[in-house]
């Protein structure tokens, strides 16, 4: 049964007896099973505090503030959906099916719809996106099976170069104090698991650099958002809290992978903190008011909240927690576009309109500025009116498409490279037969022909962008899985190739023949196809 809690109805995740067992304070923690070892790096984590009883037992998966006024407000500010009994495949099965989807945009839509199941994405974007939190409870602990796990995390620690402060943070939040305990150097299992046993939380900052499944999921979702999709993984010991209350500058999707976690979500404290440009500092408990959501996430559940919503999560005494936060839409607002648009508009206006080049009044410093702001002076009114007139004229000079191209270049630099299927690899440069054999390089040249059918590997893998003088093709296929490890990748396009490149982009997902390129000569058609093949941007139908 699926429902929206118009009257804040919720499904009990824990029964009465378990609820009484799970009475914990914000930082309460069960007694350690073994003596805490002193860290070799000299850092001694805080001792685990004695358990304290909650003043309000957590009797259900969601409990709002006791005030009727606050409860009424909370009804408007959050939703709960129960997905029990509704059919949707586990992640590993879904990713297998998505390989068969021909269009990468359709693939992104299907994956995002799976992420929200049973909520429809249209209703989500209408009612929740950038507006209010939503909780989806599935009663299906295997829903995210294959995405990430403690076993994979341990494998990564043993086999990859995980660095403290770069790939992994060790944190704690005890008695209202948030601390980071990162030693220098590589994070090896011996020290990492000792930190964990001592009550510290572990945050993996870029799991997509180590996990091929996380990489695949994020590389698909970035086409849905039109903005970088990132992720952090959080592993928290039972009965502890790793982070202080705060808000973020991203849209956050909390996917509970293992165990369970108690979350409290709070409205932005003022209009100035709605959809903020930057994340907040840590807050104390008395700075944030009463929560609008007080919930427990179990494996398979999802919690979404927009940027600006304060949140904190702590583990109950009877279970650890592992969740992954999928994030997007950082600095992707209208204002961020205007930050690129307005300087360019002003530069064009000054070149083309003499009104913008005329000099300021000789005496403007005598009546303008903060020290003169309280003066009654008609010259001030005239000056402000002139500025307003120029601002209105500025709109007509705004190069909107060029500013959007600047945003697009930033996005393509942020993007993860695409994860190619076995068939895509076999039909692209990655499957080319070039090899070493019999003391020489063999089959180095791939013979593309006029009748060869090609297309881009992804709808969003490449984009034409102009800067007023040249047109360049920016692309993602040579990006790193590590954020901005590589410089932006681009090719300055020859004039004879621009129309053909635009034709290829707009033809996706259809395959088109090289001969159908709108170039004047076959030589130009072949040179463009060979260039795109070498960069891994296209694959063939065969």
């Amino acid at each position: 049964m699926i429902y929206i809690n118009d009257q804040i109805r919720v499904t009990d995740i824990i029964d009465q007896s378990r609820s009484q067992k799970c009475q914990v304070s914000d930082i309460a923690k069960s007694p350690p099973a073994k003596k805490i070892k002193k860290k070799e790096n000299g850092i001694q984590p805080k001792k685990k505090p004695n358990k304290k009883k909650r003043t309000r037992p957590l009797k259900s998966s969601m409990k709002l503030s006791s005030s009727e006024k606050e409860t009424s407000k909370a009804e408007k500010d959050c939703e709960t959906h129960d997905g029990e009994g509704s059919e949707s495949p586990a992640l590993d099965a879904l990713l297998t099916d998505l390989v068969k989807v021909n269009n990468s945009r359709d693939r992104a839509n299907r994956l995002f719809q799976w992420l929200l199941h049973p909520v429809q994405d249209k209703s989500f974007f209408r009612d929740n996106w950038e507006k209010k939190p939503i909780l989806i409870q599935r009663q299906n602990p295997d829903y995210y099976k294959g995405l990430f796990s403690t076993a994979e995390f341990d494998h990564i620690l043993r086999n990859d170069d995980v660095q403290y402060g770069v790939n992994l943070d060790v944190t704690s939040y005890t008695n209202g104090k948030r601390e980071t305990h990162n030693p220098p150097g590589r994070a090896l299992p011996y020290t990492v698991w000792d930190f964990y046993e001592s009550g510290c939380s572990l945050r993996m900052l870029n799991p997509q650099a180590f996990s091929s499944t996380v990489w695949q999921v994020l590389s698909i979702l970035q086409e849905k958002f039109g903005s970088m999709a990132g992720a952090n993984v959080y592993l928290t010991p039972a009965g502890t809290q790793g982070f202080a209350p705060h808000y973020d500058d991203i849209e956050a999707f909390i996917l509970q992978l293992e165990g369970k976690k108690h979350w409290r979500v709070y409205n932005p404290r003022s209009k100035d903190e709605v959809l903020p440009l930057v994340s907040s500092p840590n807050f104390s408990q008395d700075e944030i008011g009463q929560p609008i959501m007080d919930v427990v996430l179990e494996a398979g559940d999802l919690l979404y909240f927009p940027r600006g919503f304060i949140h904190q999560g702590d583990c109950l005494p009877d279970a650890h927690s592992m969740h992954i936060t999928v994030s997007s839409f950082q600095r992707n607002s209208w204002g961020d576009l205007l930050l690129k648009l307005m300087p360019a508009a002003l530069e064009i206006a000054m070149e083309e309109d003499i009104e913008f080049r005329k000099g300021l009044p000789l005496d403007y410093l005598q009546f303008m500025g903060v020290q003169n702001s309280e003066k009654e002076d008609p010259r001030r009114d005239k000056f402000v009116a002139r500025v307003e007139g120029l601002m209105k004229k500025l709109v007509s000079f705004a190069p909107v498409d060029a500013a959007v191209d600047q945003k697009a270049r930033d996005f393509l630099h942020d993007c993860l490279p695409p994860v190619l299927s076995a068939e895509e690899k076999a039909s692209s440069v990655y499957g080319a037969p070039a090899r070493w054999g019999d003391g020489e390089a063999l089959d180095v040249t791939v013979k593309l022909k006029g009748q060869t059918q090609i297309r881009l590997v992804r709808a969003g893998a490449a984009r034409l962008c102009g800067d007023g003088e040249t047109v360049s093709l920016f692309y993602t296929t040579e990006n790193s899985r590590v954020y901005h490890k590589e410089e932006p990748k681009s090719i300055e396009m020859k004039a004879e190739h621009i129309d053909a490149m635009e034709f290829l982009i707009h033809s996706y997902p259809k395959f088109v023949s090289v001969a159908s390129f709108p170039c004047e000569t076959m030589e130009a058609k072949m040179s463009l196809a060979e260039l795109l093949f070498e960069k891994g941007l296209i694959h063939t139908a065969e």
Side-chain angles (χ1 to χ4, degrees), residues 146-183:
L147 179 54
F148 202 80
S149 66
T150 49
E152 183 173 5
F153 177 64
D154 183 72
H155 179 81
I156 290 169
L157 291 176
R158 295 179 183 281
N159 295 280
D160 293 291
D161 183 18
V162 178
Q163 293 287 318
Y164 286 111
V166 178
N167 312 115
L168 187 70
D169 282 334
V170 179
T171 70
S172 64
Y173 179 69
T174 308
N175 297 326
K177 185 178 182 181
R178 159 77 166 83
E179 293 183 281
T180 300
H181 306 282
N182 292 341

Side-chain angles (χ1 to χ4, degrees), residues 125-356:
F125 283 112
R126 181 188 67 234
D127 301 331
N128 298 95
W129 179 253
E130 295 189 322
K131 297 181 183 75
K132 62 181 180 179
I134 187 171
L135 168 68
I136 300 174
Q137 300 167 317
R138 296 194 175 97
Q139 288 77 48
N140 181 0
D142 293 328
Y143 196 75
Y144 302 123
K145 181 181 178 182
L147 179 54
F148 202 80
S149 66
T150 49
E152 183 173 5
F153 177 64
D154 183 72
H155 179 81
I156 290 169
L157 291 176
R158 295 179 183 281
N159 295 280
D160 293 291
D161 183 18
V162 178
Q163 293 287 318
Y164 286 111
V166 178
N167 312 115
L168 187 70
D169 282 334
V170 179
T171 70
S172 64
Y173 179 69
T174 308
N175 297 326
K177 185 178 182 181
R178 159 77 166 83
E179 293 183 281
T180 300
H181 306 282
N182 292 341
R186 181 177 171 182
L188 293 169
Y190 176 79
T191 54
V192 170
W193 291 122
D194 192 25
F195 273 125
Y196 178 83
E197 282 297 299
S198 299
C200 292
S201 290
L202 307 174
R203 173 174 64 181
M204 176 162 273
L205 298 171
N206 51 347
Q208 61 271 23
F210 303 99
S211 166
S212 58
T213 305
V214 176
W215 169 27
Q216 183 177 7
V217 167
L218 296 181
S219 70
I220 295 173
L221 288 177
Q222 66 193 8
E223 285 207 58
K224 176 67 175 181
F225 295 128
S227 177
M228 185 187 80
N232 289 336
V233 169
Y234 299 82
L235 179 60
T236 309
T240 70
Q241 181 168 337
F243 294 88
H246 66 281
Y247 62 72
D248 295 312
D249 59 349
I250 46 87
E251 302 299 297
F253 298 83
I254 311 298
L255 283 59
Q256 189 69 27
L257 304 178
E258 296 177 6
K260 55 189 176 182
K261 198 164 197 177
H262 170 219
W263 284 91
R264 284 163 289 173
V265 182
Y266 309 75
N267 272 326
R269 301 181 305 171
S270 67
K271 291 183 179 180
D272 292 339
E273 293 181 355
V274 174
L275 304 180
L277 298 177
V278 295
S279 297
S280 73
N282 294 327
F283 295 124
S284 63
Q285 299 295 335
D286 58 3
E287 291 180 291
I288 57 179
Q290 293 297 316
I292 60 167
M293 298 186 82
D294 194 322
V295 303
V296 171
L297 262 64
E298 297 197 356
D301 293 347
L302 177 141
L303 173 63
Y304 159 81
F305 44 80
R307 55 196 190 274
F309 277 74
I310 300 168
H311 53 278
Q312 60 178 323
D314 62 274
C315 270
L316 302 179
D318 61 342
H320 79 286
S321 168
M322 171 174 274
H323 77 267
I324 185 169
T325 299
V326 174
S327 61
S328 192
F329 252 58
Q330 186 179 52
R331 299 307 300 261
N332 203 43
S333 67
W334 285 101
D336 291 298
L337 176 63
L338 291 174
L339 285 173
K340 296 183 179 296
L341 177 62
M342 298 310 290
L346 186 57
E347 184 175 343
I348 295 171
M350 292 181 72
E351 289 178 359
E352 298 184 3
D353 190 332
I354 190 174
E355 293 300 316
F356 287 87

Side-chain angles (χ1 to χ4, degrees), residues 18-123:
R18 184 181 296 180
S19 173
Q20 293 171 351
K21 179 181 178 182
C22 295
Q23 293 176 343
V24 294
S25 67
D26 296 341
I27 56 173
K29 188 172 180 184
S30 57
K34 68 175 187 176
K35 185 177 179 181
I36 298 175
K37 289 190 271 184
K38 186 172 182 179
K39 308 308 296 180
E40 291 184 0
N41 54 31
I43 298 175
Q44 180 70 46
K46 296 290 184 180
K47 293 183 178 180
K48 302 178 183 181
N50 295 327
K51 289 194 290 184
K52 299 179 182 178
K53 290 188 177 181
R54 291 176 58 89
T55 56
R56 290 187 294 128
L58 189 66
K59 295 183 179 179
S60 70
S61 65
M62 180 174 180
K63 185 174 179 64
L64 303 176
S65 53
S66 57
S67 163
E68 291 184 2
K69 179 178 179 180
E70 290 173 346
T71 299
S72 177
K73 184 177 187 301
E75 291 178 4
K76 302 176 183 178
D77 291 335
C78 53
E79 294 181 19
T80 302
H81 289 252
D82 189 341
E84 184 177 14
S86 53
E87 294 296 328
S88 186
L91 177 62
D92 50 359
L94 176 71
L95 292 177
T96 300
D97 289 340
L98 289 182
V99 172
K100 306 169 187 175
V101 177
N102 187 46
N103 189 328
S104 63
R105 291 193 181 101
D106 293 341
R107 204 175 298 150
N109 287 331
R110 283 187 58 178
L111 179 58
F112 187 70
Q113 180 57 73
W114 172 88
L115 191 70
L116 294 177
H117 180 80
V119 177
Q120 294 298 308
D121 65 344
K122 288 184 179 179
S123 64

Side-chain angles (χ1 to χ4, degrees), residues 105 456 459 462-464 473 500-508:
R105 291 193 181 101
L456 292 175
R463 182 184 178 92
L464 287 170
L473 183 72
M501 192 65 233
E502 187 174 327
F503 167 74
L504 183 63
I505 289 172
H506 292 315
S507 296
Y508 184 89

Side-chain angles (χ1 to χ4, degrees), residues 347-405:
E347 184 175 343
I348 295 171
M350 292 181 72
E351 289 178 359
E352 298 184 3
D353 190 332
I354 190 174
E355 293 300 316
F356 287 87
R357 301 197 301 271
K358 288 182 178 180
L360 293 165
L362 296 178
D363 58 349
Y364 80 102
L365 294 178
Q366 298 175 18
F367 56 86
M368 295 303 299
V370 174
Q371 71 180 31
N372 301 309
S373 59
E374 301 298 325
K375 283 186 176 181
E376 293 289 340
D377 191 322
R379 293 177 297 176
R380 287 181 57 83
D381 297 333
K382 184 178 180 181
F383 189 94
V384 171
R386 180 66 179 275
V387 171
E388 290 176 348
L390 292 174
M391 292 294 291
K392 291 178 180 178
K393 290 187 71 174
L394 191 61
V395 175
S396 63
F397 298 98
V400 178
D401 285 323
V404 169
D405 280 348

